[in-house]
């Protein structure tokens, strides 16, 4: 008999009876019997788990595909993050101090940097002001803040435009150090990737310090300490709460809210910064009220501007960076500018345009002057640099009109034309083009010399046609003019092609220098901040551009423009030569001229190309040139162009029939004399004075 009590496969029922226990199912299936509910639950759990596993795998695959797409589309050209040492030693554009020819300080350019800041040395409220303005949760999130991104997206959607950004301070630092400022998805993804790499390399404090050292504050100033010194004249360690909050308001829009330009807008944002600091319990109510009640005062240096020197400093800075590169050390640069003449040029340009502006219809002007070595002594790019930084002496290209005619005549001399040769001033038609003289009048037969002095358009066109436009372009190129095509059309004879004032003025210097070309220059010397000389201008041998005999003839002809032609208003009682110029419909008026000591060019007109009130180059522009030259020649002896040569005598070839014709003429003359009675002498009227036009004939 079997002992059921010891049977492990049996069990007692509630009433003491035994029953067989089912054998264990090792297959994993749920037990049989009354288990329908548990079986269903088991199936649901099993298939749910399987589905989740499938979804997880699919998600991983999708994530891999997405990451592969992002890597190929957005991260292929991701900038390489330098090493920690390279980050702290990264190069920057040089700060440049400019001095005039006498060694007097003019201005500083380039980024202004202060000392690197350390959080431990700053008042506690200074870094907190920037955290309040830019990234309040900086110490609570990683390189990217998803909550800030969501908050910005919500605010931007509500406003219908971008009103808030979600970038962390680390992202802003990455963008400023490695990326362009453009706003697009690729840049945002790269910004996040670079921010992650930065935070792997640097601590949070180090990121914040680097941010404060590199951020832009407007006014060409970088870094917190640089901004503090620029705007308030003191280091960042001495900032008070009001000043710190005001500076923290700038990085959002540094140029638009630069304190010397838009203090009111910056103060509005300063209040927001202070309110956020109060909301974070970083300052008390009393501290906030005190900061708002005492708005910061800017240092006098923050309000200073470069005035009339702004145009030349822009030009000089570009020249220096071209010569030494953008990553050079801080520099001290001596310029060729004569401060007395620079001031005189700016004042006379502004005065005459302001006085004559309403009547003449001219609102802008420009001037440049070179000494006899090519050194730029004066550069005035406009009437008011604070209103317009566009340098019309260098950047503007305008039609020179008749001031281009000397190059036509110079090309004609190369082809054998002489000043004493004659041409007929008469109506001209070339195809459909009918160039006319000013006023529609014609002088008949005139010498080439007289045609230039009187600026006769028809004679200039005839000479241009004789020598050919290609020869004119070739000569202009040798003189330093770069804007003409190799084969211009014949309108080049009347100055229809646009040229910068600096090139026109330098080209006239070829005449002054007897046919030699000098390159204009403004940088005399460059030193590092510690005094090491890295560049000194050496006047190179002049480039031969034109024969001295022809140059001599051209100077003499151009002298008559000033003494008896269209440029008489430029005459200031010394040997001088030049040419007036007026472009189509009186849009541009020029006078360019020279003495043995200086060559100067003046342009007058309007930026919008609006025609002036029949203003010619012999009027406003010539008056500006004259007043400037009077100042420039104070204490200089009056002297002639000592290198001028005698004009060549006209050469005629003898005709072998001349003897016969001369004898025949003599016989006719003798016969007539013998037959005619002796006449009584009559009184002769006085010869009339030759009156040259006072205005510039302009091309139509």
């Amino acid at each position: 008999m079997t002992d059921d009590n010891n049977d492990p496969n049996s069990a007692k029922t509630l009433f003491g009876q035994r029953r067989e226990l089912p054998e264990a199912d090792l297959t994993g299936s749920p037990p049989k019997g009354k288990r329908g509910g548990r079986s269903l639950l088991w199936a649901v759990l099993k298939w749910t788990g399987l589905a989740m596993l499938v979804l997880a795998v699919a998600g991983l695959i999708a994530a891999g595909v997405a990451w592969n797409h992002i890597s190929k589309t957005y991260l292929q050209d991701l900038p390489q993050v330098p090493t920690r040492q390279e980050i702290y030693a990264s190069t920057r554009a040089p700060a440049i101090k400019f001095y005039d020819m006498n060694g007097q300080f003019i201005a500083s350019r380039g980024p202004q940097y202060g000392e690197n800041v350390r959080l431990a040395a700053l008042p506690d409220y200074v870094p907190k002001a920037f955290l309040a303005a830019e990234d309040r949760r900086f110490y609570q999130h990683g390189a990217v803040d998803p909550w800030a991104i969501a908050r910005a997206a919500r605010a931007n959607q509500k406003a219908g435009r971008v009103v808030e950004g979600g970038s962390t301070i680390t992202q802003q630092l990455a963008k400023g150090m490695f990326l362009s400022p453009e706003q697009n998805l690729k840049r945002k993804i790269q910004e996040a990737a670079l921010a992650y790499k930065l935070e792997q390399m640097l601590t949070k404090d180090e990121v914040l310090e680097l941010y404060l050292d590199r951020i832009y504050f407007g006014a060409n100033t970088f870094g917190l300490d640089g901004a503090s010194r620029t705007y308030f004249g003191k280091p960042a360690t001495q900032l008070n709460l009001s000043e710190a909050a005001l500076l923290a308001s700038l990085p959002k829009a540094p140029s638009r809210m630069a304190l010397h330009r838009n203090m009111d807008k910056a103060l509005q944002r300063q209040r927001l910064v202070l309110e956020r600091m109060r909301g974070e319990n970083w300052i008390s109510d009393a501290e906030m009220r005190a900061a708002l009640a005492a708005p910061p005062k800017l240092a006098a240096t923050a309000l200073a501007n470069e005035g009339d020197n702004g145009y030349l400093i822009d030009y000089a800075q570009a020249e220096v960076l071209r010569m030494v590169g953008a990553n050079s050390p801080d520099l001290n640069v001596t310029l060729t500018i004569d401060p007395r003449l620079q001031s005189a040029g700016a004042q006379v340009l502004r005065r005459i345009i302001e006085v004559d502006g309403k009547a003449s219809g001219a609102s802008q002007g420009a001037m440049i002057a070179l000494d006899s070595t090519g050194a730029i002594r004066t550069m005035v790019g406009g009437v008011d640099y604070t209103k317009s930084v566009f340098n019309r002496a260098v950047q503007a290209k305008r039609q020179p009109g008749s001031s281009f005619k000397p190059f036509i005549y110079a090309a004609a001399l190369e082809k054998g034309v002489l000043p004493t040769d004659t041409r007929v001033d008469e109506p001209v038609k070339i195809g459909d083009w009918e160039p006319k003289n000013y006023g529609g009048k014609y002088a008949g037969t005139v010498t080439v010399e007289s045609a230039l002095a009187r600026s006769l358009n028809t004679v200039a066109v005839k000479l241009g046609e004789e020598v050919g436009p290609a020869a004119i372009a070739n000569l202009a190129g040798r003189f330093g003019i770069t804007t003409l095509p190799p084969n211009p059309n014949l309108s080049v004879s009347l100055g229809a092609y646009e040229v910068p004032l600096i090139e026109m003025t330098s080209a006239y210097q070829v005449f002054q220098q007897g046919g030699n070309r000098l390159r204009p220059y403004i940088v005399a010397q460059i030193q590092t901040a510690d005094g090491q000389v890295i560049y000194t201008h050496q006047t190179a041998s002049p480039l031969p551009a034109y024969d001295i005999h022809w140059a001599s003839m051209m100077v003499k002809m151009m002298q008559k423009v000033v003494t008896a032609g269209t440029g008489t208003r430029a005459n200031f009682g010394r040997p001088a030569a030049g040419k007036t110029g007026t472009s189509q419909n009186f849009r541009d008026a020029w006078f360019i001229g020279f003495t043995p000591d200086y060559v100067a060019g003046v342009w007058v007109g309007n930026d919008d190309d609006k025609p002036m009130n029949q203003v010619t180059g012999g009027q406003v522009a010539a008056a500006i040139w004259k007043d400037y030259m009077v100042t420039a020649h104070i204490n200089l002896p009056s002297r002639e162009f000592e290198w001028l040569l005698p004009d060549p005598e006209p050469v005629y070839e003898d005709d072998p029939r001349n003897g016969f014709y001369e004898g025949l003429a003599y016989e006719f003359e003798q016969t007539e004399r013998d037959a005619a009675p002796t006449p009584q002498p009559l009184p002769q009227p006085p010869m009339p004075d030759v009156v040259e036009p006072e205005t510039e004939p302009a091309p139509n």
Side-chain angles (χ1 to χ4, degrees):
M1 185 172 176
T2 306
D3 186 1
D4 290 339
N5 292 330
N6 297 324
D7 187 353
N9 293 325
S10 65
K12 285 185 178 182
T13 65
L14 179 64
F15 300 101
Q17 297 179 343
R18 292 188 174 276
R19 62 177 177 81
E20 295 288 325
L21 292 175
E23 295 182 357
D25 187 354
L26 303 178
T27 65
S29 299
K32 298 176 182 179
K34 297 179 179 180
R35 54 186 186 272
R38 285 184 294 168
S39 176
L40 178 62
L41 178 61
W42 182 264
V44 170
L45 291 175
K46 181 177 72 172
W47 289 108
T48 300
L50 183 61
M52 291 179 66
L53 179 62
V54 171
L55 288 175
V57 172
L60 289 173
I61 294 173
V65 172
W67 177 251
N68 184 59
H69 172 73
I70 291 173
S71 297
K72 289 184 176 180
T73 306
Y74 301 112
L75 301 179
Q76 283 282 62
D77 57 346
L78 184 71
Q80 186 70 31
V81 176
T83 66
R84 179 188 179 90
Q85 291 74 19
E86 290 171 337
I87 286 178
Y88 281 99
S90 61
T91 56
R92 57 179 174 82
I96 308 174
K97 292 183 178 180
F98 292 98
Y99 300 84
D100 63 30
M101 61 180 289
N102 301 322
Q104 296 298 310
F105 176 76
I106 301 176
S108 293
R109 277 295 180 88
Q112 303 299 310
Y113 290 88
E115 300 294 331
N116 291 337
V117 299
R118 293 294 173 263
L119 298 183
L122 294 173
D124 185 57
Y125 49 75
V126 172
K128 287 181 176 178
F130 286 86
L131 294 179
E134 302 295 330
D135 192 354
R136 281 170 282 180
R137 299 181 60 253
F138 175 69
Y139 284 100
Q140 281 75 53
H141 59 65
V144 177
D145 185 0
W147 292 107
I149 294 173
R151 184 183 66 245
R154 193 163 53 248
N156 295 337
Q157 182 181 23
K158 183 177 180 180
R161 58 189 178 89
V162 178
V163 295
E164 185 175 340
S167 295
T168 65
I169 278 180
T170 313
Q171 287 176 271
Q172 294 181 48
L173 178 62
K175 177 183 70 174
M177 293 184 68
F178 308 119
L179 298 173
S180 66
E182 59 186 336
Q183 297 282 350
N184 55 46
L185 179 60
K186 178 178 180 179
R187 203 269 293 160
K188 293 298 292 184
I189 291 174
Q190 290 190 340
E191 177 186 291
L194 291 168
Y196 176 76
K197 290 186 176 184
L198 280 177
E199 290 214 353
Q200 285 185 313
M201 183 185 305
L202 305 171
T203 68
K204 282 285 190 178
D205 281 355
E206 289 171 335
V207 168
L208 182 55
E209 288 174 346
L210 201 57
Y211 169 83
L212 293 176
D213 285 338
R214 300 298 179 89
I215 197 68
Y216 182 55
F217 285 89
N220 216 19
T221 300
F222 291 82
L224 174 61
D225 192 65
S228 180
R229 295 175 188 275
T230 294
Y231 289 123
F232 304 127
K234 58 184 176 182
T237 55
Q238 297 178 13
L239 288 170
N240 61 41
L241 175 60
S242 181
E243 293 165 342
L246 187 59
L247 290 181
S249 72
L250 297 182
K252 283 289 186 187
S255 296
R256 181 165 51 87
M257 291 196 298
L259 302 185
H260 63 302
R261 292 179 180 171
N262 199 349
M263 176 64 87
D264 291 341
K265 191 72 175 178
L267 286 173
Q268 292 177 19
R269 183 158 173 80
Q270 179 215 38
R271 174 180 285 274
L272 176 62
V273 172
L274 290 169
E275 288 174 349
R276 287 181 178 178
M277 294 179 74
R278 180 66 192 100
E280 297 291 330
N281 286 320
W282 290 340
I283 58 174
S284 66
D285 283 335
E287 288 172 324
M288 184 180 76
R289 288 194 300 270
L292 291 172
K297 297 185 183 301
L298 295 183
T301 53
L303 301 174
N305 64 71
E306 295 162 352
D308 296 325
N309 293 323
Y311 298 108
L312 71 92
I313 296 298
D314 285 346
Y315 178 74
Q317 181 182 18
E319 286 291 289
V320 169
L321 295 179
R322 179 183 63 81
M323 295 162 69
V324 303
N327 294 324
S328 67
D330 292 345
L331 303 170
N332 294 329
V333 178
T334 301
L335 303 179
T336 60
I337 293 299
D338 184 325
R340 181 178 67 90
L341 299 186
Q342 176 67 20
S343 176
Q347 290 179 17
V348 67
L349 182 78
R350 185 162 44 246
R351 173 174 56 81
I352 291 181
I353 288 181
E354 287 178 353
V355 170
D356 296 343
K358 291 183 179 180
S360 66
S363 62
Q364 272 296 351
M367 165 185 277
I368 189 167
L370 318 173
D371 72 6
S372 58
T373 70
I376 298 174
R377 300 303 186 192
T378 299
M379 178 181 284
V380 185
V383 172
D384 190 343
Y385 181 81
T386 62
K387 295 181 180 178
S388 171
V389 301
F390 182 65
N391 190 340
R392 297 156 190 83
V394 176
Q395 296 171 288
K397 296 178 181 178
R398 308 290 298 220
Q399 288 185 339
S402 295
S403 65
F404 198 81
K405 286 178 181 175
F407 309 122
I408 314 304
Y409 283 75
L413 295 189
E414 283 189 324
K415 298 295 185 180
V417 175
L418 294 175
T420 53
D421 289 350
T422 59
R423 296 293 185 275
V424 179
D425 177 27
E426 60 187 353
V428 174
K429 184 173 182 180
I430 302 172
D432 295 331
W433 187 38
E434 297 183 61
K436 297 179 176 63
N437 290 332
Y438 181 77
K441 297 180 180 180
Y442 302 94
T445 302
V446 295
T447 64
V448 169
E449 180 179 64
S450 176
L452 179 62
R454 298 163 67 178
S455 201
L456 301 178
N457 290 336
T458 61
V459 176
V461 171
K462 286 184 175 182
L463 292 174
E465 189 175 30
E466 289 175 26
V467 302
I472 296 169
N474 177 274
L475 179 137
R478 299 197 319 261
F479 279 44
I481 292 175
T482 63
T483 56
L484 263 63
N487 292 287
N489 62 43
L490 196 53
S491 66
V492 70
S493 303
L494 301 183
Y497 288 83
E498 296 177 339
V499 186
L501 177 61
I502 188 172
E503 288 190 5
M504 285 289 292
T505 306
S506 178
Y508 269 52
Q509 188 159 53
V510 173
F511 297 128
Q512 182 207 44
Q513 293 298 309
N516 291 320
R517 179 185 166 199
L518 298 170
R519 297 183 186 275
Y521 70 98
I522 196 169
V523 177
Q525 188 177 80
I526 303 175
Q527 297 181 358
T528 60
D530 59 5
Q532 179 184 356
V533 177
I534 59 176
Y535 170 82
T536 300
H537 177 79
Q538 301 291 336
T539 301
S541 299
L543 300 173
Y546 194 59
D547 187 85
I548 189 172
H549 293 86
W550 299 323
S552 176
M553 288 185 273
M554 283 301 306
V555 170
K556 292 177 183 178
M557 285 196 292
M558 295 168 74
Q559 282 183 297
K560 292 188 177 180
V561 173
V562 176
T563 58
T566 58
T568 54
R569 293 191 186 183
N571 192 341
F572 69 110
R574 293 193 181 213
K579 185 69 186 77
T580 55
T582 308
S583 71
Q584 185 81 2
N585 296 325
F586 304 97
R587 289 189 173 92
D588 306 275
W590 301 63
F591 188 85
I592 307 173
F594 52 89
T595 68
D597 299 294
Y598 292 99
V599 54
V602 177
W603 168 84
V604 171
N606 294 300
D607 287 339
D608 60 3
D609 218 27
K610 180 180 178 181
M612 295 176 286
N613 300 330
Q614 296 193 336
V615 173
T616 67
Q619 298 170 340
V620 178
I624 293 170
W625 187 92
K626 175 183 177 179
D627 279 13
Y628 173 82
M629 281 296 197
V630 168
T631 301
H633 288 79
I634 292 175
N635 299 325
L636 291 179
S638 178
R639 59 194 184 100
E640 301 285 345
F641 295 94
E642 298 173 354
W643 56 269
L644 295 182
L645 303 175
D647 287 345
E649 294 293 332
V651 177
Y652 303 100
E653 294 185 4
D654 288 337
D655 190 321
R657 298 168 295 179
N658 284 348
F660 169 75
Y661 289 129
E662 288 174 1
L664 188 63
Y666 175 78
E667 292 176 2
F668 279 125
E669 182 180 359
Q670 186 64 38
T671 302
E672 183 180 9
R673 189 165 48 247
D674 293 342
T678 303
Q680 296 296 318
L682 297 175
Q684 297 291 324
M687 292 290 290
D689 293 332
V690 177
V691 179
E692 301 287 0
E694 293 184 358
T695 54
E696 168 85 11
N700 294 318

